[in-house]
Amino acid sequence: MTSSSPAAPSDTSAIGQGISRFVAFATSPEAKPARLGALGAVLIAAGGLGAGSTRLHDPLLESLHLSWLRFGHGLVLSSVLLWVGVALMLLAWLRLGRSVIDRTATEYTMIATTAFWLAPLLLSVPVFSRDTYSYLAQGALLRDGFDPYVVGPIENPNSLLENVSPIWTTTTAPYGPAFILVAKFVTLVVGEDVVAGTMLLRLCMLPGLALLIWAAPRVARHVGANGAAALWICVLNPLVIIHLMGGVHNEMLMVGLMMAAIALTFSGHHFWGVSLIAVAVAVKATAGLALPFMVWVWARDLRHRRGYGPAKSFTAATVASALVFVAVFAVLSLAAGVGLGWLTALAGSVKIINWLTLPTAAANLINVIGSIFMQVNFYAVLDVARIIGIAVIAISLPLLWWRFRHTDREALVGIALVMAVVVLFVPAALPWYYTWPLAVISALTQGRRSIAIIAGLSTWITVIWKPDGAHGMYSWPHVLLATACAAGAWYSLYKTPAVSTARPAEPSIS
C-alpha cells in the first residue's frame, strides 16, 4: 500500500498537465483546423441520421419523431448536412496539410486534432458503408453455434439480418478468427440491438486507431521521415476518419496492428512484431503481405547482433517467424472454434463491380468503347481482365520481396508496393482498401508533390462514394464532381511553398 502511494500525486499531476495542454491547444489559433473539422464531424453525424447507411426500419428515429429525415425534403436536408460536413473536414485536412508541407505541424497537433474530429463520429450511424450490419450478423452466427465460414447470415434469421446488404446475406465470412471473436463479443453483449451493436463495434476499432497513432510516427522517424506528416497522411486522412471510423471497418484494427508490428520489428522486438502480424492477419488476411519483409529485417538483425551468415540468419528468422505466427494464429482459431474456411470466402469480392481496381476499370472501358463498334460480353471481358490481374499479383509479389530486402527502408518500400499492387489488381476493391498501403506510404512519401497527390486521390475516393454505402462511379455528374474536388485538393497543396519556417523541434510523443 505504502509503496504505491507516492506515485499517485505524480500521476494526478501528469493527467492535469495533459488536460491543461489540451485545453490550451483547443483555444489557440493552431486549433482552427481541429475546430473546423469537428464542426464537419458534427454535421456528418447529424446528416447521417437520414442520409447515412441507416437501418431499413429504425424504431429509434420513429420514437424521436425524426423518421422524416430519411424521406423527401428531409432526406435532401440530411444529405446537404452530411456533404457539407464532409467538405468541412476535407478543408480542415487540407489546411493542416499546408502546415505539414512547411514543417510547422507537430505530432501533438495531429493527435489532438484526431480527438476533435473523432468524438462526434463515435455517436454517428454508419456512413458510407453497411458492412457493420454484416459484421454483427456474422458475429451472431458464431454466438448461436453456426460456423460463419460455412454458412452465411441468412441461415440464422434474426432482426440483424434485415439490415445486411442482400449481396452478403448468403456469403460466408471473409474475416479471420480474431475479428469474428470481436463480432461475437459485441453480439453477446448487445444481443440484436443494432444501435448499441454499432456503437460498441466502433469502440472496438479504437485500439486499432490508437496503435496507428502510436506506430506511424515511430516508423516514420526510423526511416528519417517526419512523424507529424505520417499522422496527417494515415490517421487524419478522411479515408480513415470518415470511412474506417465513421463507416466502422475492421481495416482499422488490421492496419493499426500491422503498423505496430512493423514499428516493433524495426526496434528489434521481432517476436512481438510477428505476434502482432499474426493477430492482424486473424482480423484480415491482407496484413500477411508484410510478414515476408519482416523476415528480412529479423535476418539482418541476426547477422548484425549474432554474427550469423546470410543463409543461417535467413533460415533462423524464417523458422522463428513461422513458428510464432502459427502458434498465435492457432490459439486465436481455437478460441473462436473455427478453422481456415475464411480463406475460401476471400473470393467473395468478385461480386463487387466498380472502377477502383485496374482489371475492373479496364473491363468497363473496353465495354464502353467496344460497344460502339460491336457487341461486347462484359462479364467475359471482366473474367479475362481479372485473371490477368491475379497473374500480375502472383508475379510481382515474389519479385518485390526479393528486390526490397537490403535495409529497413527498403522493406517498408516493399510492403507499400506489394499492398499497392494487390489493391490495384485484385478483382475488386472498396475505398477503405486503399488505407492498407496508405499507412505504410505515410513514412515514405512526404514531399510536397507526394502529399498533394495523396490529398487528391484521397479526396476523390472519399467523394466518389455515397453516404448510404453505394457509389457514384456510373453517374457522370458524380464522377465529374469528385474529380473536380480531387483536382482542387491536389492544386491547393501542390502550390503550397515547401519553405521551412518551422519552430524548434517538439519532443516526439512517446
Side-chain angles (χ1 to χ4, degrees), residues 108 145 149 311 321 340 459:
Y108 182 82
Y149 301 153
S321 296
L340 297 176
T459 298

Side-chain angles (χ1 to χ4, degrees), residues 54-276:
T54 55
R55 291 188 290 170
L56 297 180
H57 305 289
D58 199 324
L60 179 61
L61 283 184
E62 292 171 4
S63 65
L64 296 174
H65 304 290
L66 293 174
S67 293
W68 59 275
L69 289 172
R70 301 178 61 191
F71 309 101
H73 295 303
L75 179 57
V76 172
L77 174 62
S78 298
S79 299
V80 169
L81 287 175
L82 193 148
W83 279 114
V84 169
V86 171
L88 291 179
M89 289 198 75
L90 283 169
L91 288 172
W93 184 57
L94 294 173
R95 181 178 293 183
L96 268 180
R98 298 190 186 103
S99 65
V100 167
I101 290 174
D102 67 19
R103 292 295 189 262
T104 60
T106 66
E107 291 180 24
Y108 182 82
T109 296
M110 299 299 167
I111 295 172
T113 299
T114 302
F116 269 84
W117 295 4
L118 183 62
L121 291 178
L122 293 178
L123 302 176
S124 169
V125 304
V127 288
F128 293 93
S129 172
R130 303 186 65 83
D131 279 8
T132 185
Y133 304 126
S134 297
Y135 297 160
L136 293 172
Q138 289 159 359
L141 281 173
L142 190 62
R143 178 198 66 190
D144 295 338
F146 296 90
D147 188 339
Y149 301 153
V150 175
V151 300
I154 199 169
E155 298 296 327
N156 186 29
N158 54 52
S159 59
L160 295 173
L161 185 61
E162 70 175 19
N163 295 294
V164 179
S165 298
I167 192 175
W168 303 126
T169 54
T170 58
T171 304
T172 55
Y175 312 116
F179 184 71
I180 294 298
L181 274 175
V182 170
K184 175 186 176 181
F185 162 75
V186 171
T187 57
L188 280 172
V189 173
V190 305
E192 269 77 57
D193 189 326
V194 178
V195 174
T198 298
M199 299 299 179
L200 183 55
L201 197 56
R202 184 181 276 124
L203 291 178
C204 289
M205 303 302 155
L206 283 177
L209 181 64
L211 286 172
L212 186 59
I213 290 171
W214 175 84
R218 283 169 170 77
V219 173
R221 292 193 296 269
H222 183 80
V223 296
N226 182 272
L231 289 169
W232 181 84
I233 291 171
C234 73
V235 173
L236 286 166
N237 194 303
L239 285 176
V240 175
I241 296 295
I242 296 177
H243 277 282
L244 293 196
M245 290 305 300
V248 196
H249 286 290
N250 57 13
E251 265 82 4
M252 190 74 264
L253 279 176
M254 184 207 79
V255 170
L257 286 163
M258 180 187 70
M259 286 299 289
I262 293 172
L264 288 170
T265 299
F266 283 170
S267 62
H269 301 291
H270 304 289
F271 173 85
W272 293 110
V274 175
S275 297
L276 280 191

Side-chain angles (χ1 to χ4, degrees), residues 311-398:
K312 184 178 180 180
S313 64
F314 177 76
T315 301
T318 301
V319 171
S321 296
L323 290 174
V324 173
F325 182 92
V326 170
V328 173
F329 201 92
V331 168
L332 291 171
S333 296
L334 288 172
V338 295
L340 297 176
W342 62 288
L343 293 173
T344 60
L346 295 175
S349 63
V350 298
K351 297 179 180 180
I352 303 168
I353 299 177
N354 58 45
W355 293 69
L356 286 181
T357 66
L358 293 179
T360 311
N364 274 287
L365 285 173
I366 292 171
N367 182 54
V368 170
I369 298 172
S371 297
I372 299 174
F373 306 100
M374 66 186 77
Q375 185 174 359
V376 177
N377 185 333
F378 170 72
Y379 290 100
V381 173
L382 180 63
D383 288 342
V384 172
R386 285 176 166 177
I387 290 171
I388 294 173
I390 295 297
V392 170
I393 293 173
I395 294 170
S396 299
L397 264 55

